[in-house]
Amino acid sequence: MMLLQVIKKRICNGFNDFYINVGSNLAKKIPDSDKTPKDFIRNCNQNSMFVESVSDSDVCKIVTSLKSASSGWDGISLDVVKRSFMSIVQPLTHCMNLSLMNGVVPNELKIARVIPLFKAGDIAIFSNYRPVSVLPLFSKILERLMYARLLSFINQNKLLYKFQFGFRQGHSPELALIYLIDKISNSLENGEYVLGVFLDFSKAFDTVNHDILFDKLEMYGIRGVALKWFKSYLSNRYQYVVYNGEQSDRKLITCGVPQGSILGPLLFLLYINDLADVSDKLFALLFADDSNMFISGKDIDELVNSMNNEMEKVIDWLNVNKLSLNLKKTHYMIFRGRRTKIDVKNKLMINGTVITMERKTKFLGVIIDENLLFRDHIKYVKGKISRSLGILYKCRKYFDSDTLLMLYNSFVYPHFTYCLSVWGNTCKSYL
């Protein structure tokens, strides 16, 4: 029994070491640059963020909106907080204001419990497990309060790139797809080709460099107490892994934005916000770490040459910001009219590696082909719906009508409506 416990402990520590070091190990492989991240930010925001205090009602709204979730390392559940909320709301609001007004995040709120979930492949490889972080409940409340203030400042000063569609209200995946397909369609109707490079970042959220992020936040106007708060928020963060009934030792997190956090995605958007400013020739369409670059023209070889030149600027930006590409998953497509044949003589290369040209790709859940015919996506959706209906048909003898309706709304209806909303709206003018 003791030997089994030792093995479990070693596996947990192995998971934690992998998750803690994945970002820093990738950063070590990135060559140094004589440029700084500030060189790529074109405009420094002169306005500074002011952190407003919170009221009891602000905290009440957040607690009411929180959904049931797993407890953090402290074991405090949402149910307990809601039941005792009227007794603790005033001291809780006071503590939140102390944090926001003094720029200090308590260390007890910066401990994450990580649960590895198996994805696919060899079960003995750590990278085949997706880490799910569970943060303390009070941390989520504090983060939501700061998130609302940071987002308000970002929107008022129009800081985020217009075509960044990730984690933003009013910027849905459907809207990103509609805009992209409409832009490609217009170019094709004008007799042009569109060359698109679909970049795949390696562990982007885990490799965010804190010092670079702080410099960018200051450039964007997050200064003074606000910047001090974010520095405190990202420093002295610890995590431990729970797996198979055992838990690892706590380890210090040195880079990356917190997984499972509320602020993490928004901080990441600010971190990569200036990627769109790297090239004046490329059109960047971003969805969080799904970054895609497009260029149009009437000469294929000139497009490839131009893209090769512009990608050197993109790589320079990546090196400066300590981000790396997964070149095996990075690929490009040449969109063209359905009756147009192409003969690409030049090769598209990134960092000396030849990039694969694909005839179709999945972008935000939709399969896009080089002619925008969407036959592959229709076939894909049809298969999804058919399999789901088949499962419902087999289950009809064992479940009542309410349960079957719930299963239908969960598995069949979303595929059907998504297909209609995206494919129908974007293609009816082109087909």
Side-chain angles (χ1 to χ4, degrees), residues 45-51 153 156-157 217-218 220-224 226:
N45 184 24
Q46 300 302 317
N47 299 323
S48 295
M49 178 180 173
F50 174 74
V51 182
F153 178 77
Q156 287 175 7
N157 292 270
L217 290 179
E218 190 171 15
Y220 288 130
I222 294 88
R223 308 181 181 99

Side-chain angles (χ1 to χ4, degrees), residues 255-317:
C255 65
V257 291
Q259 296 285 347
S261 66
I262 295 163
L263 280 168
L266 187 55
L267 292 175
F268 180 79
L269 295 189
L270 290 171
Y271 190 81
I272 67 166
N273 191 51
D274 55 315
L275 173 58
D277 296 331
V278 170
S279 170
D280 293 324
K281 293 184 178 180
L282 300 181
F283 166 70
L285 191 144
L286 312 178
F287 193 90
D289 58 334
D290 285 334
S291 301
N292 313 282
M293 303 291 179
F294 300 90
I295 189 171
S296 59
K298 296 190 176 183
D299 188 294
I300 286 290
D301 293 318
E302 286 185 7
L303 284 182
V304 175
N305 287 335
S306 295
M307 183 62 79
N308 277 327
N309 293 332
E310 298 308 304
M311 287 308 299
E312 290 181 5
K313 301 176 183 178
V314 173
I315 293 300
D316 196 18
W317 180 90

